[in-house]
Amino acid sequence: MGDDERARRLLSDLSIALRKDPLIDEFGFIFCPEPVCNKSPIVLEQHKLGIETWSIKILYLFVHQQLLKVKPISPDSRFLNDCSQAAVLLNAECYTAWNIRKRLVLKKAIGAEADLKLATLVLTKHPKSAETFAQRRWLLQHIFPDIKPSHSSHEAAASTNQHYFPHNNQYHPSPPPNGLDRRVQVQQNGAAGNLERIIDGELKACTIAADRYPNNYNAWSHRIWVLKHLARGGSQVVKSEWVSSKEWVRCHISDHSGFHYRQFLMQTLRECTGGTLIPNEKENGSYAMGLVEEELQFTANLISFYPGHEAIWYHRRFVIHFWRTFLTGKPNATTISTEPLSHDDITVLEDISVPDTTGAAATSSWQDDRSASRCEDAQMETDQVPTKPSFLSSPEHLRMGKSVDEDLAAITTSEIQFAIAVNACTPHGDVDAQRRCVEGYKRWLKSQ
């Protein structure tokens, strides 16, 4: 059997398997350098699709050559569909195959949602494929051509949350204008339900990719894009993501991309509540304070149980930065400086003293902190480290006329005390790694 004939047989077996089971949810390669028996290398078991490795080169070279022969207008759409889907399953970065699939979608030879399903299957094998996520964004814009990129604003978020999420208890659709029948309203509600389903599918696809590849920048960037352009910062979706992302981050403590996503959610939730601190408006200040307090307690628990992980400490830096910019009324920056200080800067900062409120295990100077005694119990309890900083003791201080400088100084003092307490209670086996994180955090605090 020639390679061309064998390749056609492989392509046919793969296409039949994909059509036979519409519930396929995973694709992978089966290590088999040589064919061991006279049977198809395409394996389908319990909604899992696999292909033996000896056949990958034969099949991919064939389908790629066929795609390069495609004319601008080809009548054989089914063959192009089979070749292009085989190409992207084997090599997710094949631009030619994805572009041909775009053409097939525009010709309505294949459905946009069917191509989204294929892209999800591709991500189970190639979770960091940038071209796959780019294809998903193109398909979403094709499905919802009226959804344009929205600017981050409280009005846009509130409007989208009302019109696209009718399950909200506060949703009250207005009657159709000009005496139109109720079919218009049914179509609008159907479109909203379809959007909810699509958004849910995109979030699940991003979770699958993030679970399969650590620090998956492409997956988290796509997730942010979905919230910005499809959900348009709708408060219900963002709040749901805020809750669900906490469990994911807890299980992936070294994945900074997950923490970065929570930082995006914090900023989006802030914009949903008005964006800035307005005098005499308790709700905005209290809500932002609640976000900061929740995240500081969350990071304190993670630091206690998982000492020495820089991603947690860098996330805590952002939370403090978030609160400082909120108090000063400056625009909330998306990044913070993490560059190391010079030797002269560190020497000046060493002279800053910090009141000792953490007991005998902590001291009030940088040098004494390095020789502080450790907690006797290596498996320390979380409540040994203060999780609620003193500067968040009550929302009432927002309306007591305190100066911003006093609030900022209180933040720095409280956080340095927290760092000293953490350093003092670190188990012996994690002392060096935790100390590096603590000292870097203290240097950053004193440079603010």
Side-chain angles (χ1 to χ4, degrees):
M1 182 183 295
D3 285 346
D4 188 70
E5 184 180 352
R6 174 181 286 182
R8 288 184 181 274
R9 181 66 179 271
L10 293 172
L11 177 61
S12 176
D13 291 345
L14 178 61
S15 302
I16 291 174
L18 290 170
R19 296 190 184 99
K20 178 181 178 181
D21 188 355
L23 301 179
I24 296 175
D25 56 7
E26 188 174 353
F27 172 75
F29 298 158
I30 303 172
F31 179 74
C32 183
E34 296 292 338
V36 294
C37 58
N38 188 19
K39 67 175 185 178
S40 174
I42 309 299
V43 180
L44 178 60
E45 292 288 343
Q46 299 180 355
H47 310 307
K48 314 297 180 185
L49 179 63
I51 179 172
E52 294 179 359
T53 53
W54 68 264
S55 62
I56 293 176
K57 182 178 179 180
I58 298 173
L59 177 58
Y60 182 74
L61 290 179
F62 172 76
V63 297
H64 191 263
Q65 290 173 359
Q66 297 301 314
L67 293 176
L68 294 179
K69 298 177 182 178
V70 172
K71 298 179 180 179
I73 301 178
S74 176
D76 196 354
S77 298
R78 181 166 182 172
F79 181 70
L80 289 180
N81 177 38
D82 293 345
C83 289
S84 59
Q85 71 180 1
V88 297
L89 283 171
L90 300 177
N91 178 17
E93 303 302 324
C94 184
Y95 308 152
T96 302
W98 285 122
N99 288 335
I100 289 175
R101 296 195 68 80
K102 289 185 179 73
R103 189 183 305 169
L104 293 175
V105 171
L106 293 175
K107 290 174 58 179
K108 297 184 179 180
I110 59 176
E113 293 195 35
D115 208 36
L116 275 177
K117 184 178 179 180
L118 174 65
T120 303
L121 184 61
V122 171
L123 289 175
T124 61
K125 176 57 184 174
H126 311 282
K128 205 179 180 181
S129 170
E131 286 304 309
T132 305
F133 285 110
Q135 179 77 358
R136 298 189 75 93
R137 288 189 286 274
W138 183 90
L139 291 169
L140 293 172
Q141 292 173 335
H142 177 77
I143 296 173
F144 303 105
D146 58 323
I147 296 181
K148 299 179 181 179
S150 60
H151 300 287
S152 297
S153 65
H154 175 54
E155 292 78 13
S159 175
T160 302
N161 186 55
Q162 178 181 5
H163 291 291
Y164 288 99
F165 298 94
H167 65 279
N168 191 337
N169 294 332
Q170 297 179 352
Y171 178 75
H172 300 288
S174 56
N178 302 326
L180 295 177
D181 58 45
R182 298 183 62 183
R183 287 178 297 178
V184 175
Q185 182 176 341
V186 171
Q187 292 175 355
Q188 292 176 348
N189 291 340
N194 187 41
L195 178 59
E196 283 190 69
R197 181 175 53 82
I198 293 292
I199 291 176
D200 184 62
E202 290 303 299
L203 298 180
K204 289 181 178 178
C206 292
T207 302
I208 291 173
D211 286 336
R212 291 174 179 267
Y213 197 100
N215 295 306
N216 195 333
Y217 173 81
N218 293 323
W220 291 104
S221 297
H222 181 74
R223 197 180 191 106
I224 291 175
W225 184 92
V226 169
L227 261 65
K228 283 184 175 180
H229 296 78
L230 287 185
R232 296 183 183 179
S235 59
Q236 295 299 321
V237 180
V238 177
K239 289 177 181 178
S240 175
E241 285 291 283
W242 176 254
V243 174
S244 61
S245 64
K246 176 179 286 189
E247 185 62 29
W248 194 95
V249 167
R250 186 181 286 111
C251 298
H252 303 77
I253 55 174
S254 294
D255 196 322
H256 183 72
S257 296
F259 286 109
H260 180 266
Y261 182 64
R262 287 187 66 79
Q263 294 166 15
F264 161 76
L265 294 176
M266 285 189 69
Q267 296 179 78
T268 305
L269 286 172
R270 171 185 172 177
E271 293 167 1
C272 289
T273 60
T276 57
L277 181 62
I278 304 175
N280 299 324
E281 287 200 9
K282 180 180 178 180
E283 292 184 0
N284 287 345
S286 298
Y287 187 77
M289 177 179 289
L291 289 177
V292 173
E293 181 180 344
E294 176 185 352
E295 204 64 3
L296 288 179
Q297 291 177 348
F298 179 52
T299 56
N301 292 337
L302 293 181
I303 287 170
S304 299
F305 287 116
Y306 308 104
H309 287 269
E310 292 184 350
I312 308 174
W313 286 95
Y314 279 118
H315 181 59
R316 192 173 180 94
R317 291 191 191 189
F318 174 85
V319 177
I320 296 300
H321 174 74
F322 174 88
W323 184 243
R324 291 173 66 95
T325 54
F326 189 87
L327 290 176
T328 57
K330 297 178 181 179
N332 195 17
T334 58
T335 58
I336 57 177
S337 175
T338 57
E339 296 182 359
L341 301 177
S342 65
H343 180 270
D344 294 338
D345 293 333
I346 295 176
T347 303
V348 173
L349 295 175
E350 295 266 350
D351 297 334
I352 301 177
S353 61
V354 181
D356 181 12
T357 62
T358 59
T363 58
S364 60
S365 66
W366 192 306
Q367 293 82 358
D368 293 340
D369 177 41
R370 294 184 178 181
S371 59
S373 60
R374 306 295 175 183
C375 290
E376 296 180 357
D377 185 6
Q379 300 297 329
M380 62 179 179
E381 297 294 337
T382 305
D383 57 5
Q384 287 182 280
V385 177
T387 58
K388 184 173 182 178
S390 58
F391 63 86
L392 290 175
S393 58
S394 171
E396 295 298 324
H397 81 280
L398 292 174
R399 300 182 288 110
M400 291 175 59
K402 266 193 172 184
S403 66
V404 174
D405 292 339
E406 290 179 359
D407 286 334
L408 298 181
I411 292 173
T412 301
T413 301
S414 176
E415 282 300 290
I416 292 180
Q417 292 172 0
F418 167 82
I420 293 174
V422 168
N423 202 30
C425 296
T426 301
H428 291 283
D430 304 304
V431 169
D432 293 338
Q434 188 79 302
R435 179 183 296 171
R436 287 194 297 270
C437 294
V438 167
E439 293 185 357
Y441 185 62
K442 289 163 62 178
R443 285 197 296 270
W444 176 81
L445 286 169
K446 295 174 182 179
S447 66
Q448 298 303 298

